[in-house]
Amino acid sequence: MVKGFGKIGLPVGKNGRKRVKLGKRIALSVINDILDEKGRVLPCVCGALSEESRKENAERMRFAEKGVTGIMGKQAFYDRIRTVFGVDEPKKIAAYCKENWNEDVEHVMRTAKDVCSNTFLFDFRWDMERTYEPIHFENEIDWSLIPFGDREFLWQFNRHRFQLCLSQAYQMTGDETYAENSVRLMRDWIRRAEPGDNINLGPWRTLETGIRAENWLRTLALLEDSPAVDDAFIEEVEACVKKHAKRLYDNFQPHKYISNWGVLESSGLLLF
């Protein structure tokens, strides 16, 4: 059983594996930086947070709790995410991909076209839960759908990996249809996705919350030039990202500092 840091013990592997030793100074630095003034764990992935970062984290949580929107606006939002998720010369990169990885490009384009018509199939090599039968929505999308009793579909669906395909298709073609559908689907999720009877088993499960946040930021970085991404939409996204942050913040546990699940939950929001 793996334990966390400080008062709850240093990391310990299964079957009595040797305890990992941390220097006292490093351990104290980690403990001081992962706890806020009330002793609550801050949702960073690892390492020490600076005093400035801790203050900024606390400010974001206050905004999230109050439901404040429109704090940054589109320009400031992109100034923030561009340094992490932005791509230099995307048109040249798109041309290079089409020349050298034609099969992968075709896969992305096929997925993006299906998604524009509300058809979803998760068949990329690295999809965590692959599916083999496409699911199509004629009218409204049910973000809590569990087809054939397979809850894994619900979770894969709500990670929004398909959003990346829409933004990549937009860069490879310049077709606004892909950007418009990305905005449509993201906005629909923001306005209609419900936690369900058990929030820990639905679209707002913490693992999906963290992965989805990163996929949104990576997607939006490729849609910056699209007129579909306007200030009003970014305002909705920013407010929802803060809800993502609060969800992860309120449910963070010390063991997640040294777990894959914890990294996946927090990485996108840490970069934001």
Side-chain angles (χ1 to χ4, degrees):
M1 183 176 186
V2 178
K3 298 182 180 180
F5 291 107
K7 296 178 181 178
I8 57 175
L10 297 175
V12 182
K14 293 181 179 179
N15 303 320
R17 287 200 298 265
K18 187 175 181 180
R19 201 178 274 263
V20 177
K21 296 182 179 179
L22 294 177
K24 182 177 180 181
R25 181 177 61 81
I26 297 175
L28 289 175
S29 174
V30 171
I31 296 303
N32 290 337
D33 278 338
I34 66 176
L35 300 179
D36 65 11
E37 67 277 4
K38 294 183 179 179
R40 298 175 301 184
V41 178
L42 293 171
C44 63
V45 175
C46 59
L49 290 174
S50 66
E51 180 65 24
E52 181 180 353
S53 296
R54 291 201 300 272
K55 289 180 179 178
E56 185 177 357
N57 189 299
E59 181 180 3
R60 290 187 205 172
M61 291 306 103
R62 284 195 294 272
F63 280 130
E65 290 169 0
K66 294 178 181 178
V68 177
T69 62
I71 299 164
M72 286 190 282
K74 180 174 179 177
Q75 185 59 52
F77 180 89
Y78 273 100
D79 287 345
R80 182 161 197 151
I81 71 171
R82 195 182 298 114
T83 55
V84 178
F85 297 103
V87 176
D88 293 330
E89 300 184 296
K91 299 304 181 187
K92 288 186 178 180
I93 293 174
Y96 186 86
C97 290
K98 286 187 280 188
E99 181 179 349
N100 292 277
W101 297 297
N102 189 55
E103 288 186 8
D104 293 307
V105 168
E106 289 180 356
H107 195 172
V108 167
M109 293 301 303
R110 181 172 65 252
T111 300
K113 290 175 181 177
D114 285 345
V115 169
C116 287
S117 64
N118 290 352
T119 300
F120 300 89
L121 177 69
F122 310 122
D123 61 347
F124 282 97
R125 179 183 300 178
W126 297 109
D127 279 338
M128 294 170 68
E129 275 77 43
R130 299 183 69 178
T131 59
Y132 300 92
E133 294 292 334
I135 298 298
H136 176 69
F137 297 91
E138 285 290 344
N139 298 307
E140 285 189 344
I141 292 175
D142 180 0
W143 296 105
S144 297
L145 181 69
I146 305 175
F148 316 114
D150 182 10
R151 192 174 290 274
E152 297 288 353
F153 173 89
L154 181 152
W155 292 328
Q156 179 69 38
F157 188 28
N158 282 280
R159 291 166 191 156
H160 286 199
R161 168 68 177 82
F162 58 82
Q163 284 282 2
L164 292 173
C165 294
L166 290 171
S167 62
Q168 291 165 343
Y170 172 72
Q171 286 294 337
M172 287 188 285
T173 65
D175 188 343
E176 285 293 329
T177 300
Y178 297 112
E180 291 166 358
N181 277 280
S182 176
V183 169
R184 173 182 66 85
L185 291 166
M186 204 176 296
R187 178 172 271 152
D188 186 71
W189 193 96
I190 290 170
R191 294 178 178 180
R192 297 182 53 254
E194 299 292 339
D197 295 334
N198 187 339
I199 192 171
N200 295 317
L201 293 177
W204 280 96
R205 191 175 73 148
T206 53
L207 181 62
E208 282 64 56
T209 299
I211 295 174
R212 181 173 56 247
E214 181 169 354
N215 282 337
W216 281 9
L217 297 176
R218 292 172 64 194
T219 294
L220 290 168
L222 296 177
L223 300 180
E224 181 176 1
D225 295 333
S226 172
V229 181
D230 57 18
D231 285 308
F233 173 64
I234 290 299
E235 198 170 282
E236 289 188 68
V237 170
E238 185 184 350
C240 195
V241 167
K242 288 180 172 62
K243 291 180 181 178
H244 281 61
K246 188 174 188 303
R247 167 76 174 139
L248 296 174
Y249 181 83
D250 289 345
N251 292 275
F252 196 82
Q253 300 294 326
H255 73 271
K256 291 182 179 179
Y257 281 102
I258 49 175
S259 77
N260 292 338
W261 188 300
V263 171
L264 291 170
E265 282 185 7
S266 303
S267 61
L269 292 171
L270 177 70
L271 295 169
F272 181 68

